Amino acid sequence: MKNILFVASEGVPFIKTGGLADVVGSLPKCIDKRYFDVRVFIPKYACMKEEMKSKMKYVTHFYMDFNWRNEYVGVLSAVEDGITYYFIDSEYYFNGSKPYGDSPLFEIEKYAYFSKAVLSALPLIDFRPEVIHCHDWQTGLVPVYLRERFQGNSFYKGIKSVMTIHNLKFQGRWSVNEVKAITGLSDYFFTPDKLESYKDANLLKGGLVYADAITTVSSTYAKEILTDFYGEGLNGLLGARANSLRGIVNGIDYTEFDPSKDKFLKYPFDAITFRKEKVKNKTALQAELGLSVNPKAMMIGIISRLTDQKGFDLIAYMMDEMCSDNIQIVVVGTGEERYENMFRHFAWKYGDKVSANIYYSEELAHKVYAASDAFLMPSLFEPCGLSQLIALRYGTLPIVRETGGLKDTVEPYNEYESKGTGFSFSNYNAHEMLNCVRNAERIYYDKKREWNKMVDRAMAQDFSWEKSALKYQEMYDWLIG
Ligand code: GLC
């Protein structure tokens, strides 16, 4: 049995702000239990649901030297769906009303504490991982502490580390002096070939320098991050480590997202019944959301964090144009205020066509995936993207920009060969997006048979975790040797 430890800042079902939590919550379940014992470490946030907190049991506690203090570290655990989770408990660090959003400096201190606490806790919980699999900047110091601080100690000797990039935009950067003081790492680490990056200290960079292997969540993004445009200033380093970098596309949890067994749907459907049943979900949702009830109107769903990354400036620019067409747009999500207000505005202006649901609800999200005909996701960059995978499974054709995981998972419609599972455009340009949306409208309204064949192909795709989990297993085997 090989022991693998995931370390991350969030994980479903305990806490979620984005796709990272879905991956941390679903991938461990799909790693072969006959050969691997995968466990997960996340913080215990005060803002977790009571129901989740009540599942946690006390394991141990200790005091750790950190930021010139002797800091309390509690360790709790819970078993969820066969996977053992551990939680780092600290009232001082994890007390906020949201997981993130404190001052940048406190965020860095918080996750430096978390990274060190996880490593320090290992000898006390009777679990020695062969590989520690770290996710995003919050855990960037784990490979650093592992290699250096804990090197002399035989318990840690030989433990390998992996750093997975879910989003290169966030790196955990702050002034060298303050990060030095907080982390207790010596001057030696703060040079441009280690943690320093453009005069600042950079936690993700530390992880990328010291991890034994680096992965990201699609093969296209793995190539894109070697370029200036997508590299976020770390493309030089990533290029130097290209031999240790691989792209493994994310999957989704096929039991959670199954239109034939979805508990939120009044009219479940599958690859055979969708022609009759899917549309019933649409008319039901139109009635529920106060849109005009019309089974023939093309419905476009948008379920997303409302951030720049997801291409909302293109959408904002083209909303009036799109609303002059015979379509309906249903939005679910929260994020930057200007985009929240933009959608509220258009919902007010085009009440029968636009529904702006500026909150997150799992139930509504499932209903929108099922009800919509198309799903719009014109991202500026997209390491993988999970919603387009869910949309495909629900026979809802993605309209995407050809970047990162979107490019790898959505095959563009080819009218002449009758191929494709969605619609795509290549340049980050509002008119290109509009043309692409209108092309989809044309097929939907004028070539319904073609459209339905595309839905057949979309629903026949397999983006469950199986294949990707095998690739992670191969990597773990290779690292352990
Ligand atoms: C981040 C990325 C998204 C990816 C997810 C899970 O949220 O923005 O593209 O799917 O992480 O890896």
Side-chain angles (χ1 to χ4, degrees), residues 290-311:
L291 298 167
S292 34
V293 178
N294 174 1
K296 293 218 160 74
M298 177 176 175
M299 182 185 281
I300 300 182
I302 298 174
I303 302 173
S304 179
R305 287 178 285 129
L306 305 179
T307 64
D308 275 337
Q309 177 197 337
K310 303 290 179 177

Short mmCIF file of all heavy atoms in Angstrom, two decimals, residues 290-311:
data_model
loop_
_atom_site.label_atom_id
_atom_site.label_comp_id
_atom_site.label_asym_id
_atom_site.label_seq_id
_atom_site.Cartn_x
_atom_site.Cartn_y
_atom_site.Cartn_z
N GLY A 290 -39.61 33.03 -14.00
CA GLY A 290 -40.36 34.16 -14.54
C GLY A 290 -39.95 34.57 -15.95
O GLY A 290 -40.16 35.72 -16.36
N LEU A 291 -39.36 33.66 -16.69
CA LEU A 291 -39.06 33.94 -18.10
C LEU A 291 -40.28 33.55 -18.92
O LEU A 291 -41.17 32.83 -18.43
CB LEU A 291 -37.85 33.11 -18.55
CG LEU A 291 -36.55 33.39 -17.82
CD1 LEU A 291 -35.51 32.32 -18.12
CD2 LEU A 291 -36.01 34.76 -18.19
N SER A 292 -40.35 34.01 -20.19
CA SER A 292 -41.51 33.56 -20.97
C SER A 292 -41.39 32.06 -21.22
O SER A 292 -40.32 31.54 -21.53
CB SER A 292 -41.67 34.33 -22.28
OG SER A 292 -40.43 34.69 -22.80
N VAL A 293 -42.50 31.38 -21.02
CA VAL A 293 -42.50 29.92 -21.13
C VAL A 293 -42.69 29.54 -22.59
O VAL A 293 -43.73 29.77 -23.17
CB VAL A 293 -43.60 29.29 -20.25
CG1 VAL A 293 -43.61 27.78 -20.42
CG2 VAL A 293 -43.38 29.69 -18.79
N ASN A 294 -41.62 29.01 -23.16
CA ASN A 294 -41.63 28.69 -24.57
C ASN A 294 -40.62 27.58 -24.82
O ASN A 294 -39.41 27.81 -24.75
CB ASN A 294 -41.25 29.95 -25.37
CG ASN A 294 -41.10 29.65 -26.85
OD1 ASN A 294 -41.29 28.51 -27.29
ND2 ASN A 294 -40.74 30.68 -27.61
N PRO A 295 -41.11 26.38 -25.08
CA PRO A 295 -40.18 25.25 -25.24
C PRO A 295 -39.22 25.46 -26.40
O PRO A 295 -38.14 24.87 -26.42
CB PRO A 295 -41.11 24.06 -25.52
CG PRO A 295 -42.43 24.64 -25.92
CD PRO A 295 -42.52 25.98 -25.26
N LYS A 296 -39.59 26.31 -27.33
CA LYS A 296 -38.74 26.47 -28.51
C LYS A 296 -37.62 27.50 -28.32
O LYS A 296 -36.65 27.50 -29.08
CB LYS A 296 -39.61 26.89 -29.71
CG LYS A 296 -40.57 25.80 -30.15
CD LYS A 296 -40.69 25.79 -31.67
CE LYS A 296 -41.22 24.48 -32.19
NZ LYS A 296 -42.68 24.30 -31.94
N ALA A 297 -37.77 28.38 -27.35
CA ALA A 297 -36.74 29.42 -27.18
C ALA A 297 -35.42 28.80 -26.73
O ALA A 297 -35.39 28.00 -25.80
CB ALA A 297 -37.21 30.46 -26.16
N MET A 298 -34.34 29.18 -27.38
CA MET A 298 -33.03 28.62 -27.01
C MET A 298 -32.58 29.24 -25.69
O MET A 298 -32.52 30.46 -25.55
CB MET A 298 -32.02 28.97 -28.10
CG MET A 298 -30.61 28.49 -27.80
SD MET A 298 -29.58 28.88 -29.24
CE MET A 298 -27.97 28.40 -28.66
N MET A 299 -32.24 28.38 -24.73
CA MET A 299 -31.79 28.87 -23.42
C MET A 299 -30.29 28.68 -23.28
O MET A 299 -29.78 27.59 -23.50
CB MET A 299 -32.53 28.14 -22.31
CG MET A 299 -32.14 28.63 -20.91
SD MET A 299 -32.91 27.67 -19.59
CE MET A 299 -34.55 28.36 -19.55
N ILE A 300 -29.61 29.76 -22.90
CA ILE A 300 -28.16 29.69 -22.69
C ILE A 300 -27.87 29.84 -21.19
O ILE A 300 -28.30 30.82 -20.57
CB ILE A 300 -27.43 30.80 -23.48
CG1 ILE A 300 -27.72 30.64 -24.98
CG2 ILE A 300 -25.93 30.76 -23.20
CD1 ILE A 300 -27.02 31.66 -25.86
N GLY A 301 -27.19 28.88 -20.61
CA GLY A 301 -26.86 28.92 -19.19
C GLY A 301 -25.46 29.47 -18.95
O GLY A 301 -24.56 29.29 -19.76
N ILE A 302 -25.32 30.18 -17.83
CA ILE A 302 -24.00 30.64 -17.38
C ILE A 302 -23.94 30.35 -15.88
O ILE A 302 -24.74 30.90 -15.12
CB ILE A 302 -23.84 32.16 -17.61
CG1 ILE A 302 -23.93 32.50 -19.11
CG2 ILE A 302 -22.53 32.66 -17.00
CD1 ILE A 302 -23.92 34.00 -19.39
N ILE A 303 -23.05 29.47 -15.48
CA ILE A 303 -22.90 29.17 -14.06
C ILE A 303 -21.43 29.34 -13.74
O ILE A 303 -20.59 28.61 -14.26
CB ILE A 303 -23.34 27.73 -13.73
CG1 ILE A 303 -24.79 27.52 -14.17
CG2 ILE A 303 -23.17 27.42 -12.26
CD1 ILE A 303 -25.27 26.09 -14.05
N SER A 304 -21.10 30.34 -12.93
CA SER A 304 -19.68 30.68 -12.82
C SER A 304 -19.42 31.63 -11.67
O SER A 304 -20.32 32.34 -11.22
CB SER A 304 -19.27 31.38 -14.13
OG SER A 304 -17.93 31.75 -14.10
N ARG A 305 -18.18 31.63 -11.22
CA ARG A 305 -17.72 32.76 -10.42
C ARG A 305 -17.67 33.95 -11.37
O ARG A 305 -17.18 33.84 -12.50
CB ARG A 305 -16.30 32.52 -9.89
CG ARG A 305 -16.20 31.50 -8.78
CD ARG A 305 -14.75 31.30 -8.35
NE ARG A 305 -14.00 30.52 -9.33
CZ ARG A 305 -12.83 30.88 -9.84
NH1 ARG A 305 -12.25 32.01 -9.50
NH2 ARG A 305 -12.23 30.11 -10.72
N LEU A 306 -18.19 35.08 -10.95
CA LEU A 306 -18.25 36.23 -11.87
C LEU A 306 -16.93 37.02 -11.78
O LEU A 306 -16.85 38.04 -11.11
CB LEU A 306 -19.46 37.11 -11.52
CG LEU A 306 -20.82 36.38 -11.49
CD1 LEU A 306 -21.95 37.33 -11.11
CD2 LEU A 306 -21.12 35.73 -12.83
N THR A 307 -15.91 36.49 -12.45
CA THR A 307 -14.60 37.16 -12.43
C THR A 307 -14.12 37.38 -13.86
O THR A 307 -14.62 36.77 -14.80
CB THR A 307 -13.53 36.29 -11.74
OG1 THR A 307 -13.36 35.11 -12.54
CG2 THR A 307 -13.94 35.88 -10.36
N ASP A 308 -13.11 38.24 -13.96
CA ASP A 308 -12.50 38.54 -15.26
C ASP A 308 -12.07 37.28 -15.99
O ASP A 308 -12.19 37.18 -17.20
CB ASP A 308 -11.25 39.40 -15.06
CG ASP A 308 -11.63 40.87 -14.98
OD1 ASP A 308 -12.71 41.22 -15.50
OD2 ASP A 308 -10.85 41.64 -14.39
N GLN A 309 -11.51 36.34 -15.22
CA GLN A 309 -10.98 35.11 -15.83
C GLN A 309 -11.99 34.45 -16.76
O GLN A 309 -11.64 33.84 -17.76
CB GLN A 309 -10.58 34.13 -14.73
CG GLN A 309 -10.08 32.79 -15.26
CD GLN A 309 -10.08 31.68 -14.22
OE1 GLN A 309 -10.04 31.94 -13.02
NE2 GLN A 309 -10.12 30.43 -14.66
N LYS A 310 -13.27 34.57 -16.41
CA LYS A 310 -14.29 33.81 -17.11
C LYS A 310 -14.85 34.53 -18.33
O LYS A 310 -15.81 34.07 -18.94
CB LYS A 310 -15.42 33.44 -16.14
CG LYS A 310 -14.94 32.67 -14.91
CD LYS A 310 -14.50 31.26 -15.28
CE LYS A 310 -14.01 30.48 -14.05
NZ LYS A 310 -13.65 29.10 -14.35
N GLY A 311 -14.28 35.69 -18.67
CA GLY A 311 -14.68 36.35 -19.91
C GLY A 311 -15.92 37.21 -19.81
O GLY A 311 -16.59 37.46 -20.81
#
